[in-house]
Structure formats: structure tokens, C-alpha cells
Amino acid sequence: MNLVWTRFKELPIPLQKQILQRIGLGVAMLALFGVIWAATGTLGLAIPGLALTGYLLGSGGLLIHRCVRGEYLCMTGTVKEVSTSGLLKKPKYLLIDTEQGLIQVPVYRKPLPTGSTVALYLAASTPVYEEDGLFKIYSYLALALAAPPKKNIDETWKL
């Protein structure tokens, strides 16, 4: 157990956050399962909470196992373009320019600014699809901002 903890501390911060979020949510769902079961007295209403607990704890356990064994890749690149949806302008995909080429990944949370450097963490078994010279990845372990976008000194200021 001590060896796993020391290797966990050596993992990159975005992967540590993902592991702690999954296990923390799993423990919270286990507590919610117990509260619902105690309040209603029937197991039938609490079973979905137990199923979600199993999924979250299993997912967190698998992720820590994969990361401790070193079965992940870290790719860094620059955000070239952020594609958004129609009216609501929610971000859908990021185009990341890496040494290997352009990679398109989905954005699940906040958009990252164009020109910023990002770190993309992938499982070693993540499928990569190629279409017209563009690599498409549909799932990843973590996506984090590595450096903010650089500003040009020659940009003019508007008041």
C-alpha cells in the first residue's frame, strides 16, 4: 500500500485530480446509498446509488492501477482552434497542434483559449482514428492547461 501511495504522489496533478474525484464521488454515493436505505427502509430505492458507487469506485481503482503501472501517455501541444456549437456557442472540439500532427479531441468542460499550451493524458490503449490527415481521439484521461497563451507585443490596444 505504501508503494502505491508513493507512486500516486509522483503522478501528474491532472491525473491525481481525476482519481481523487472518482473515488471521492464513489464514497459520497455510498453514503447517499446508506442514507436512502435508512430513511426509506427499502433496498429497492437505494440500489441505483449502490450501482453508481460500484461504477465510480471501480473506475477510480482501474485508473489508479493504470497510472501507477505507467500505462498512460502525455502529449503536449498548442490549441489551434476551438469549434463551437450553433446558437449556444458551447465548445465541442479542440484542435491541438502537436509534433505528431493535428489532434481533434472533444471538450467536456470549460474551453481552453486559442494559442495556449495543453497537456493531454491518454491511456496507452486509446483508439486513434485518422481522417484526412487529422487524428481524432474521442476519450482521454485528462486535459490540462500547461501554459497560458502568449501575447504579442505588437498587438494594438483598443480603449
Side-chain angles (χ1 to χ4, degrees), residues 17-137:
K17 281 184 180 180
Q18 280 292 323
I19 292 169
L20 291 176
Q21 283 177 354
R22 290 181 189 185
I23 292 176
L25 281 174
V27 169
M29 284 306 301
L30 183 63
L32 186 63
F33 161 76
V35 167
I36 291 174
W37 189 17
T40 61
T42 60
L43 189 61
L45 292 175
I47 286 183
L50 187 62
L52 190 57
T53 297
Y55 171 75
L56 288 169
L57 291 177
S59 174
L62 231 71
L63 183 58
I64 196 168
H65 176 70
R66 175 178 286 152
C67 291
V68 165
R69 291 183 60 188
E71 296 176 357
Y72 68 92
L73 306 168
C74 177
M75 300 175 68
T76 57
T78 306
V79 176
K80 195 166 192 165
E81 181 184 337
V82 179
S83 65
T84 57
S85 64
L87 292 174
L88 298 178
K89 300 293 183 196
K90 289 186 178 182
K92 289 186 350 183
Y93 293 104
L94 286 180
L95 272 179
I96 302 173
D97 190 14
T98 63
E99 293 176 359
Q100 291 79 13
L102 282 175
I103 298 175
Q104 179 183 356
V105 295
V107 180
Y108 298 118
R109 296 195 178 135
K110 61 183 177 187
L112 299 169
T114 305
S116 60
T117 304
V118 294
L120 177 67
Y121 296 94
L122 303 167
S125 60
T126 301
V128 178
Y129 304 100
E130 183 182 2
E131 183 179 307
D132 299 329
L134 179 71
F135 296 107
K136 293 187 176 187
I137 297 173

